[in-house]
């Protein structure tokens, strides 16, 4: 067996792509390793949404280069958004780099890597792939690592939020064929998957690129009926694209988790307009109220940016007040940083770094309070928890997630130890909150599952 080390940066889409890369390489005799020094192929699956991605990739490649003198067969590859953005230029600039590919080439990774070794060439392939089957291609060797799996339903984004690089690197929206999605869902369930997360940059716009495709809500209903599937969820959604039929799904579909990641980004209407987000603060508040009316236990999460160009103290205060009022159960917050090539890159980045940090800290204090409050609200309840595997705390406990997507570290009484395994749904008494998760005690299996 040859060994591949994949370093994954960024979002769940990249985590999913890394799984597809590994699956696509298995027929070539590759298996995964976590050690750079024993790898025959090292792939950086990159993200250019935040930070200084190109600089990070270059310095990481610089650190990896000496490994090539120890193992002359070692190949280095850069995939993902940085690969797509810089393509051939990366290959020209970094002589020890062997392969650059974009997100659209993930389905063809086996062919590309075979050419590296067989033809002894260096390759940059980053063009937008026109063949839908190739874009979404998955190997029969799909890597199933537990009871939960991602399932890509579309790629790209047409929204062009002014700060976001995604439409520039992942291209326009392309929906996957629904039959292909359903067949893949069934195959994953047949291999032991119990929970599916439907993935896309803005899943709510599924089907809009091609007449005749189901809407996202219709697709959710179809996947929900896959026999053997116990749970269903999705990411990510632009709050500007949440029609009534999607909200109705939360009323009708019991397998749909009570969890919705709904990025607000800013609490100020002026900043939302400058971000080209296409909804107002009031519309977002109304959407949250509708969702909570349908599922009062709904765990809402969000993304927020502070220090967007021109953001005044008063506009920032509106983001703080949104956090105080909406009480998200979890949130990702960031200080704005320029992404070259986006519309916002033409605006003066005029909030000083120290001020951005001050705003970020002030916001995170409130978000931490809300997180803690959400965790505490679970204490004393009896939750249904899908067991995923060993707890990351390494204390011999199991880990799983509630139907509202809270992580639970699970103590299993001795008499139940033989009965409870990953993939099972367990009744759990929630005992106390931890920093970002819950502690619970297993009471028994739910409905004999
Ligand atoms: S909806 Fe906006 S933030 Fe989300 S991927 Fe598209 S452009 Fe980026």
């Amino acid at each position: 067996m040859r060994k591949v080390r994949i370093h994954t940066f960024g979002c769940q889409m990249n985590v999913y792509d890394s799984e597809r890369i590994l699956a696509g390489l298995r027929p070539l005799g590759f298996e995964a390793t976590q050690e750079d020094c024993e790898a025959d192929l090292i792939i950086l699956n990159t993200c250019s949404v935040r930070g200084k991605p190109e600089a990070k990739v270059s310095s990481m490649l610089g650190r990896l280069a000496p490994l090539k003198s120890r193992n002359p067969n070692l190949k280095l590859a850069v995939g993902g958004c940085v690969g797509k953005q810089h393509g051939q230029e990366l290959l020209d600039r970094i002589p020890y780099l062997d392969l650059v590919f974009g997100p659209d080439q993930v389905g063809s990774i086996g062919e590309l890597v075979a050419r590296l070794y067989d033809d002894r060439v260096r390759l940059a392939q980053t063009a937008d792939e026109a063949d839908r089957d190739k874009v979404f291609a998955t190997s029969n060797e799909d890597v199933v690592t537990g009871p939960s799996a991602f399932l890509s339903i579309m790629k790209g984004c047409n929204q062009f939020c002014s700060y976001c690089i995604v439409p520039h690197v992942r291209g326009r929206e392309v929906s996957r064929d629904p039959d292909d999605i359903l067949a893949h869902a069934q195959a994953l369930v047949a291999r032991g998957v119990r929970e599916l997360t439907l993935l896309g940059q803005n899943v709510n716009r599924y089907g809009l690129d091609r007449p005749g495709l189901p809407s996202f809500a219709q697709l959710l209903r179809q996947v929900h009926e896959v026999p053997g599937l116990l749970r269903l969820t999705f990411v990510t959604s632009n709050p500007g694209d949440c029609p009534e039929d999607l909200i109705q799904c939360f009323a009708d579909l019991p397998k749909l988790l009570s969890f919705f990641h709904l990025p607000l980004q800013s609490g100020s209407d002026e900043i939302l307009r400058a971000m080209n987000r296409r909804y107002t603060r009031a519309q977002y508040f109304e959407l949250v109220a509708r969702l909570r009316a349908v599922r009062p236990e709904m765990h809402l999460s969000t993304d927020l940016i502070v220090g967007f160009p021109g953001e005044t103290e008063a506009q920032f205060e509106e983001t703080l007040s949104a956090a105080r009022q909406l009480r998200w159960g979890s949130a990702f917050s960031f200080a704005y940083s320029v992404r070259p090539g986006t519309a916002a890159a033409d605006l003066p980045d005029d909030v000083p770094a120290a001020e951005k940090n001050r705003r970020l800290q002030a916001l995170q204090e409130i978000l931490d309070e809300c997180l803690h409050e959400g965790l505490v609200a679970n204490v004393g309840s009896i939750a249904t928890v899908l067991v995923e595997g060993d707890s990351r705390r390494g204390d011999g406990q199991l880990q799983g997630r509630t139907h509202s997507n809270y992580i639970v570290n699970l103590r299993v009484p001795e008499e139940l130890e033989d009965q409870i395994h990953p993939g099972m749904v367990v009744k759990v008494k929630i005992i106390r909150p931890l920093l970002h998760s819950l502690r619970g005690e297993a009471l028994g299996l739910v409905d004999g599952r």
Side-chain angles (χ1 to χ4, degrees), residues 157-161 163-167 201-202 238 265 277:
C157 184
N158 293 6
Q159 305 307 295
F160 287 92
C161 299
Y163 55 84
C164 182
I165 195 73
V166 166
Q201 303 297 342
N202 184 9
N238 185 314
Q265 306 297 11
R277 287 293 286 175

Side-chain angles (χ1 to χ4, degrees), residues 266-280:
S266 169
S268 149
D269 281 341
E270 289 96 353
I271 297 293
L272 287 174
R273 253 196 314 279
M275 288 176 164
N276 193 28
R277 287 293 286 175
R278 300 179 302 108
Y279 54 84
T280 63

Side-chain angles (χ1 to χ4, degrees), residues 17 20-21 23-25 101-112 129 131-139:
D17 280 350
R20 290 173 64 213
I21 289 170
L25 292 175
F101 61 97
D104 276 11
Q105 281 72 45
V106 167
S108 319
I109 191 70
E111 287 163 40
L112 294 177
E129 177 58 71
D131 182 342
R132 193 179 300 260
D133 289 341
K134 277 196 173 170
V135 172
F136 295 109
T138 49
S139 162

